[in-house]
């Protein structure tokens, strides 16, 4: 698997993570231990050891920053903790989502016990109605959404979209299995339709204004064509 390198300098490597690739193997991911992690793929492709700066779910595709030296991690992580980095995600959801909405439902933390404040800004970019029945209706409706997370809770975007009754397509945990099955049977799409598309921040070492973008996976490009939707990263 050849990874798309989005940006590289002496401090960071920015790559486009494919769907269904773990950033690194953890204790709880032993069931996929036979699959290469993102860190292993980078080491094989570039002979380079890197250190993750932030998280990206295994099933989510898109942009991720990695530090070339451990001592650089904290400076870049401060962009996230201080909310001075703008993360832009894209999703395909069930139904016609609102034109814009602020979702502020608390989300469980990584220990799955305590709910923590979470905030997501949503904007709907496109909609489509398909003459394909999905229980209990004789047609189906979908929306392309832009999601700006203002906090970084575990599964935040997936939980928030489910909370407003517009779950992401391909989300086995929080989604709608009837619609996911239709996408697989009709189009051959099995992946989660959540993509980390863009990061915008000021480089902590060079003070350069950075706008980094990750191209969409092939499933997305095929879907844009089928639904006659414009590519928001073009």
């Amino acid at each position: 698997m050849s990874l798309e390198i989005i940006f590289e300098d002496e401090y960071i490597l920015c790559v486009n993570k494919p769907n269904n690739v773990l950033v690194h193997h953890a204790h709880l991911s032993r069931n996929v231990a036979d699959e290469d992690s993102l860190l292993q793929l980078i080491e094989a492709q570039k002979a380079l050891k890197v250190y993750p700066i932030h998280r990206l779910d295994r099933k989510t595709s898109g942009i991720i920053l990695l530090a070339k030296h451990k001592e650089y991690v904290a400076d870049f992580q401060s962009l996230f903790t201080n909310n001075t980095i703008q993360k832009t995600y894209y999703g395909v959801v069930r139904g016609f989502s609102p034109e814009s909405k602020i979702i502020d439902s608390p989300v469980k933390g990584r220990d799955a016990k305590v709910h923590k404040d979470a905030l997501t800004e949503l904007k709907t970019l496109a909609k489509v109605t398909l003459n394909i029945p999905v229980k209990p209706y004789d047609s189906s409706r979908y929306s392309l959404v832009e999601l700006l997370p203002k906090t970084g809770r575990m599964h935040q975007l997936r939980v928030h979209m489910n909370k407003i009754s517009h779950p992401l397509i391909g989300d086995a945990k929080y989604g709608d299995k009837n619609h996911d099955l239709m996408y697989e049977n009709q189009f051959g799409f099995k992946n989660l339709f959540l993509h980390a598309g863009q990061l915008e921040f000021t480089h902590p070492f060079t003070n350069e204004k950075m706008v980094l973008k990750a191209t969409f996976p092939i499933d997305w490009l095929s879907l844009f064509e089928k639904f006659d939707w414009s590519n928001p990263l073009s």
Side-chain angles (χ1 to χ4, degrees):
M1 183 185 295
S2 181
L3 294 170
E4 175 195 352
I5 307 300
I6 297 167
F7 175 81
E8 182 177 5
D9 66 7
E10 61 184 293
Y11 303 99
I12 53 170
L13 180 70
C14 179
V15 304
N16 192 353
K17 188 186 83 66
N19 291 102
N20 304 312
V21 172
L22 282 164
V23 174
H24 56 79
H25 289 303
H27 175 68
L28 295 176
S29 59
R30 286 175 295 181
N31 59 320
V32 290
D34 58 333
E35 300 175 8
D36 285 339
S37 69
L38 184 69
L39 299 190
Q40 290 171 318
L41 292 170
I42 291 169
E43 193 162 4
Q45 185 170 323
K46 294 185 64 66
L48 182 67
K49 182 175 175 62
V50 290
Y51 304 87
I53 292 165
H54 58 116
R55 295 191 301 267
L56 206 57
D57 287 349
R58 175 174 177 253
K59 292 180 179 295
T60 305
S61 59
I63 195 165
I64 187 164
L65 295 178
L66 309 119
K68 287 190 171 181
H69 297 284
K70 193 176 287 187
E71 57 266 30
Y72 298 153
V73 171
D75 292 272
F76 285 96
Q77 280 184 340
S78 68
L79 298 171
F80 293 86
T81 55
N82 297 332
N83 203 23
T84 53
I85 189 167
Q86 179 62 68
K87 300 170 284 183
T88 304
Y89 286 73
Y90 297 94
V92 178
V93 301
R94 180 192 72 189
F96 283 177
S97 53
E99 294 304 314
S100 62
K101 187 175 180 65
I102 294 176
I103 310 163
D104 58 2
S105 304
V107 173
K108 285 184 181 179
R110 297 188 73 80
D111 59 7
K113 294 178 182 177
V114 180
H115 282 77
K116 297 183 178 181
D117 290 342
L119 184 68
T120 302
E121 294 180 2
L122 174 149
K123 179 182 177 183
T124 296
L125 303 179
K127 299 176 180 178
V128 69
T129 299
L130 304 179
N131 291 319
I132 301 173
V134 178
K135 292 180 182 179
Y137 304 105
D138 56 8
S139 62
S140 42
R141 307 195 301 184
Y142 303 99
S143 301
L144 172 65
V145 295
E146 178 184 270
L147 300 169
L148 307 180
K150 300 301 182 180
T151 50
R153 307 304 180 200
M154 186 176 180
H155 295 174
Q156 175 177 320
L157 300 179
R158 297 164 64 185
V159 171
H160 272 175
M161 295 316 299
N162 179 52
K163 198 78 173 179
I164 65 167
S165 300
H166 295 290
L168 288 153
I169 298 301
D171 191 341
K173 185 175 178 69
Y174 305 102
D176 185 319
K177 63 181 180 181
N178 291 324
H179 289 266
D180 294 348
L181 195 60
M182 186 279 277
Y183 268 65
E184 183 176 347
N185 291 339
Q186 293 287 331
F187 309 126
F189 300 153
K190 297 181 182 180
N191 291 325
L192 171 67
F193 274 90
L194 180 63
H195 181 70
Q198 181 173 295
L199 290 176
E200 190 170 349
F201 60 97
T202 299
H203 196 297
F205 292 95
T206 68
N207 286 321
E208 183 181 356
K209 300 287 186 184
M210 311 292 295
V211 180
L212 305 176
K213 298 180 180 182
T215 56
F216 285 100
I218 190 71
D219 281 2
W220 281 82
L221 300 178
S222 177
L223 180 141
F224 290 151
E225 190 174 339
K226 289 179 187 296
F227 293 178
D228 196 26
W229 285 351
S230 297
N231 183 334
L233 290 174
S234 295

